[in-house]
Amino acid sequence: MNKAVELPDAYTTPLADIDVSDPRLLEQDAWRPFFSRLRKEDPVHYQANSPFGPFWSITRFEDIVAVESDPASFSSEPSIVIDDPPESLPLEMFIAMDPPKHDVQRRAAQPVVAPQNLATLEALIRSRAAACLDQLPVGETFDWVERVSINLTTQMLATLFDFPFEQRHKLPYWSDLAGNTPEMTGGALTEEERNEGLVECLEVFTRIWHERKNRDHDKGSFDLITLLQRDPNTADLVERPMEFLGNLVLLIVGGNDTTRNSISGGVLALNQNPGEYDKLRADPGLIPSMVSEIIRWQTPLAHMRRTATRDLEFKGKRIRKGDKVVMWYLSANRDDSAIDRADEFIIDRKNPRHHISFGFGIHRCMGNRLAEMQLRILWEEILRRFHKVEVMAAPERVRSNFVRGYKHLPVRLHPLN
């Protein structure tokens, strides 16, 4: 898909030709009218000729909940993105598995975000956020994505994996590789580049696994590698390389993309809605509800895919066994039938956690509380230091149909008077 070619018009294009898998929709922030039309005219929409093969688009909130609530009919295997895994490096990860295998592998990693561990992490997250913000230049334009969003999420990832801190820059690099090929999401990397980087990821973590296996296990340790080694269902995961790598990629992406792009998206949303920024400054107690609204507004992962396990009728459409069924979280979070004034950014909503950015049902994001805590603490520290984080130019967005993210966001800080 050539960027130089203009996007089609959302309302004059024949309905059957609307292809919301086009990664330019997110890259150019042009997705809203396409999904609005599908929600109104064809909420269970069949696209026969996408570059990723034919697929169904589910665009309304309640319909996505229905799909997520029926894993027996809508399988997570073999992939959670529209295209199938590349044959050259077919990763296996528990988010792309069905019960019971999904359940036991998820359970092994779950303690990393247990309430007692989150309580322990809070002071560390606050100290890092404070140090990061205190090092930023005031009155000069700089890139918020690089200096804040990537910086803070990378430090957190390194802590969750107990990864060598001086090599932590590799973690967001591997995260970006995981979902950025033309074959998978319409991104810009070649499959060869992606595979080369992910093989390095596997080699590094295999070495870490064996080093950690040979040390005396601290029963109080909650890093992800130790947790996987401790659980009998995943104690031999390193011996299944594609499964080990797949779960590493899942945990890296899960710990990176949601928080990283919501940190950037929140700054942008407040600048686009200055009345809400005024409201926040007048009442910092709104930070927790604002965090949920940022995550809804941003929707860092635009979709998740399922595959029909049988022929069935869904909302009047005949879905065949093997059909790809894509749930567009991005669209559901703008569904006025489920969320009042869904196209507006409102930081004091009555029910701000009523969104689907974290998914629903058995695959609901297990790190949602950690993501919310990181954003809450960061905004508490921002308001203690700055009157405004001002966006100075339009952001540069990621070219993907899966990750709704930012490459660059130029900002300038205004100190408190």
Side-chain angles (χ1 to χ4, degrees):
M1 284 170 278
N2 191 332
K3 186 178 177 182
V5 178
E6 286 190 13
L7 285 168
D9 181 80
Y11 294 105
T12 60
T13 300
L15 197 59
D17 294 338
I18 288 181
D19 180 9
V20 287
S21 72
D22 188 333
R24 297 174 301 165
L25 294 180
L26 298 190
E27 183 185 34
Q28 298 179 29
D29 199 34
W31 51 273
R32 291 170 185 80
F34 292 89
F35 285 107
S36 177
R37 185 179 176 198
L38 289 186
R39 285 195 304 273
K40 292 172 184 174
E41 298 181 29
D42 195 19
V44 180
H45 172 75
Y46 190 66
Q47 166 52 246
N49 300 305
S50 92
F52 312 99
F55 66 92
W56 293 92
S57 283
I58 313 297
T59 53
R60 287 182 181 169
F61 193 106
E62 66 173 21
D63 294 344
I64 288 177
V65 170
V67 171
E68 293 267 42
S69 300
D70 188 5
S73 300
F74 299 100
S75 171
S76 297
E77 300 177 2
S79 177
I80 58 165
V81 298
I82 303 175
D83 204 10
D84 291 330
E87 293 182 5
S88 59
L89 199 67
L91 303 185
E92 302 174 43
M93 54 187 72
F94 67 74
I95 199 172
M97 296 175 183
D98 298 321
K101 192 171 183 180
H102 160 270
D103 300 347
V104 297
Q105 294 206 1
R106 177 183 170 111
R107 199 177 301 125
Q110 187 81 38
V112 77
V113 289
Q116 67 269 27
N117 205 32
L118 294 184
T120 301
L121 287 171
E122 180 156 358
L124 177 63
I125 293 170
R126 190 174 300 279
S127 67
R128 286 177 174 171
C132 172
L133 295 173
D134 286 342
Q135 293 170 8
L136 298 175
V138 176
E140 299 176 18
T141 299
F142 65 93
D143 183 8
W144 183 263
V145 173
E146 178 186 2
R147 297 288 296 271
V148 180
S149 303
I150 293 176
N151 184 10
L152 289 177
T153 52
T154 303
Q155 291 185 52
M156 190 72 257
L157 275 173
T159 298
L160 294 177
F161 280 102
D162 192 13
F163 190 81
F165 211 66
E166 67 282 359
Q167 298 178 39
R168 64 188 185 277
H169 64 278
K170 293 183 177 180
L171 294 169
Y173 171 66
W174 291 329
S175 177
D176 291 342
L177 287 180
N180 197 27
T181 63
E183 294 80 8
M184 293 181 66
T185 60
L189 286 173
T190 66
E191 188 175 327
E192 183 180 2
E193 288 173 312
R194 174 180 180 269
N195 291 352
E196 185 177 313
L198 292 181
V199 167
E200 180 197 18
C201 176
L202 177 62
E203 291 172 348
V204 169
F205 272 102
T206 298
R207 184 168 64 249
I208 289 173
W209 177 286
H210 290 301
E211 290 170 353
R212 208 150 295 173
K213 192 74 174 175
N214 293 328
R215 76 182 185 186
D216 292 334
H217 273 193
D218 176 5
K219 291 186 178 180
S221 176
F222 281 88
D223 72 89
L224 284 161
I225 299 301
T226 300
L227 290 173
L228 292 172
Q229 291 176 338
R230 192 181 292 160
D231 191 292
N233 294 295
T234 50
D236 63 344
L237 195 59
V238 74
E239 296 170 18
R240 306 192 296 275
M242 289 302 98
E243 204 170 313
F244 182 41
L245 178 58
N247 282 315
L248 289 171
V249 166
L250 167 64
L251 295 166
I252 292 170
V253 171
N256 175 65
D257 283 312
T258 297
T259 310
R260 163 178 157 183
N261 290 310
S262 293
I263 288 173
S264 300
V267 169
L268 183 61
L270 287 169
N271 275 262
Q272 292 172 335
N273 299 271
E276 298 303 294
Y277 213 152
D278 292 340
K279 195 187 293 183
L280 175 66
R281 280 189 289 260
D283 183 6
L286 292 174
I287 289 175
S289 66
M290 180 191 71
V291 163
S292 293
E293 178 70 345
I294 287 171
I295 294 168
R296 179 193 76 88
W297 182 257
Q298 179 59 31
T299 317
L301 296 180
H303 76 259
M304 285 283 171
R305 169 192 152 187
R306 300 292 181 256
T307 303
T309 62
R310 60 185 178 89
D311 291 353
L312 74 156
E313 187 170 304
F314 184 81
K315 305 297 177 177
K317 298 295 181 77
R318 191 68 180 165
I319 296 176
R320 302 292 183 182
K321 181 179 179 179
D323 283 359
K324 300 174 183 179
V325 179
V326 180
M327 304 175 293
W328 290 98
Y329 295 166
L330 194 67
S331 176
N333 280 336
R334 296 296 193 276
D335 184 352
D336 279 324
S337 70
I339 300 171
D340 186 43
R341 297 160 64 191
D343 276 326
E344 297 179 43
F345 180 75
I346 304 169
I347 68 170
D348 54 352
R349 287 185 177 275
K350 290 182 180 179
N351 189 10
R353 301 190 82 235
H354 180 61
H355 63 76
I356 207 157
S357 295
F358 292 124
F360 185 85
I362 63 170
H363 290 288
R364 180 173 168 82
C365 174
M366 72 178 195
N368 62 311
R369 296 294 186 182
L370 176 59
E372 291 170 341
M373 185 171 76
Q374 289 177 267
L375 287 162
R376 171 180 61 79
I377 291 170
L378 176 61
W379 277 101
E380 288 170 354
E381 296 301 318
I382 288 172
L383 290 185
R384 289 191 177 113
R385 289 164 174 78
F386 309 117
H387 175 73
K388 184 177 183 180
V389 182
E390 181 184 7
V391 174
M392 303 303 294
E396 183 181 349
R397 301 173 188 271
V398 172
R399 183 179 177 86
S400 173
N401 62 26
F402 183 62
V403 174
R404 184 174 179 234
Y406 305 90
K407 291 182 178 179
H408 302 288
L409 181 67
V411 303
R412 183 171 295 182
L413 300 174
H414 297 264
L416 292 171
N417 295 329

